């Protein structure tokens, strides 16, 4: 597993934009060059009003990494600290899981496209939509979206689409987002 690709043991500013997308064609997605597929179990720990804490089990090709993340701030620009845990540290951290938030289970596809890297999260509670994120080097960095992805709307800064909020209560799929055949 390539640890550099998930920025372990780092602290810094995260500049990220997030989009609600139509559920992608998974057979198309899985044929894209350089694609990575990761199974993630993300558990929120007790945090503070100003900082969220989570641990993840990140499994790729049968190998697992364990990661703790602390985030603060809102919107496109936030502070983030990540560090790799041992499996024992991860199991110990789960004792501090926030009982009000269920663990988030998702499949993440990391799609390289046009010199950028898109992270597409597929959640089991949605059948028509997914979330796509991209980390940027600056807030005004131009983005070129892959042709096979249909953007429904940007949800950067929308508190309903944070994983922490989805762990409390998933946002229902909005039928107004989709075209209905007559």
């Amino acid at each position: 597993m390539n640890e550099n690709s998930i920025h372990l043991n780092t602290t810094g500013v995260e500049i990220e934009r997030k989009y609600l997308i139509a559920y992608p064609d998974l057979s198309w997605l899985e044929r894209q060059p350089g694609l990575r597929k990761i199974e993630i179990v993300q558990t929120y720990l007790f945090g503070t009003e100003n900082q969220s804490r989570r641990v993840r089990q990140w499994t790729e090709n049968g190998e697992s990494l364990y990661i703790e993340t602390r985030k603060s701030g809102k919107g496109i620009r936030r502070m983030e600290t990540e560090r790799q845990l041992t499996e024992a540290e991860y199991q110990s951290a789960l004792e501090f899981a926030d009982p009000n938030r269920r663990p988030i289970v998702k499949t993440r596809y990391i799609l390289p496209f046009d010199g950028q890297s898109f992270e597409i999260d597929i959640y089991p509670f949605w059948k028509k939509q997914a979330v796509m994120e991209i980390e940027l080097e600056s807030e005004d960095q131009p983005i070129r979206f892959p042709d096979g992805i249909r953007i429904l709307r940007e949800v950067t800064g929308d508190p309903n689409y944070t994983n922490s909020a989805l762990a409390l209560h998933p946002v229902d799929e909005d039928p107004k987002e989709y075209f209905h055949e007559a």
Side-chain angles (χ1 to χ4, degrees):
M1 192 169 312
N2 183 350
E3 292 179 12
N4 293 331
S5 62
I6 55 172
H7 314 292
L8 292 179
N9 302 320
T10 63
T11 298
V13 174
E14 172 190 62
I15 301 171
E16 179 179 81
R17 294 183 71 179
K18 185 182 287 193
Y19 300 87
L20 188 65
I21 63 171
Y23 197 93
D25 176 345
L26 296 182
S27 63
W28 170 84
L29 189 59
E30 291 181 357
R31 290 191 311 268
Q32 299 310 299
L35 183 81
R36 295 174 58 202
K37 181 179 177 182
I38 296 102
E39 301 299 329
I40 297 174
V41 178
Q42 182 167 300
T43 304
Y44 281 86
L45 308 177
F46 288 111
T48 66
E49 187 175 317
N50 300 323
Q51 184 182 71
S52 69
R53 291 180 55 219
R54 70 174 186 228
V55 290
R56 284 180 171 170
Q57 179 177 352
W58 172 293
T59 304
E60 183 177 12
N61 299 321
E63 293 183 45
S64 292
L65 286 177
Y66 304 94
I67 304 160
E68 177 188 50
T69 304
R70 296 171 187 252
K71 286 190 180 189
S72 59
K74 296 179 182 176
I76 192 171
R77 190 178 190 88
R78 299 181 290 172
M79 288 298 298
E80 178 180 80
T81 301
E82 287 191 317
R83 71 180 182 99
Q84 186 171 346
L85 303 174
T86 65
E87 185 174 2
E89 289 171 323
Y90 170 78
Q91 292 297 331
S92 181
L94 290 176
E95 295 176 23
F96 299 97
D98 182 341
N100 296 316
R101 288 180 164 78
R102 66 191 177 124
I104 293 284
V105 176
K106 60 186 177 182
T107 301
R108 171 167 287 173
Y109 293 90
I110 300 176
L111 174 63
F113 178 76
D114 197 31
Q116 299 176 326
S117 183
F118 293 89
E119 297 177 348
I120 299 168
D121 289 342
I122 306 293
Y123 299 94
F125 46 82
W126 286 339
K127 301 299 178 209
K128 295 181 179 179
Q129 63 192 23
V131 170
M132 182 173 72
E133 301 174 351
I134 182 168
E135 288 192 24
L136 305 169
E137 293 187 23
S138 68
E139 293 178 29
D140 58 353
Q141 179 179 335
I143 302 170
R144 184 165 174 259
F145 296 103
D147 294 333
I149 301 296
R150 185 165 64 100
I151 306 289
L152 299 175
R153 71 176 183 269
E154 183 168 1
V155 293
T156 303
D158 184 332
N160 294 310
Y161 291 94
T162 65
N163 280 294
S164 180
L166 294 175
L168 279 172
H169 186 287
V171 177
D172 291 332
E173 291 185 302
D174 185 350
K176 295 178 287 188
E177 295 291 347
Y178 307 98
F179 298 107
H180 296 284
E181 295 180 337

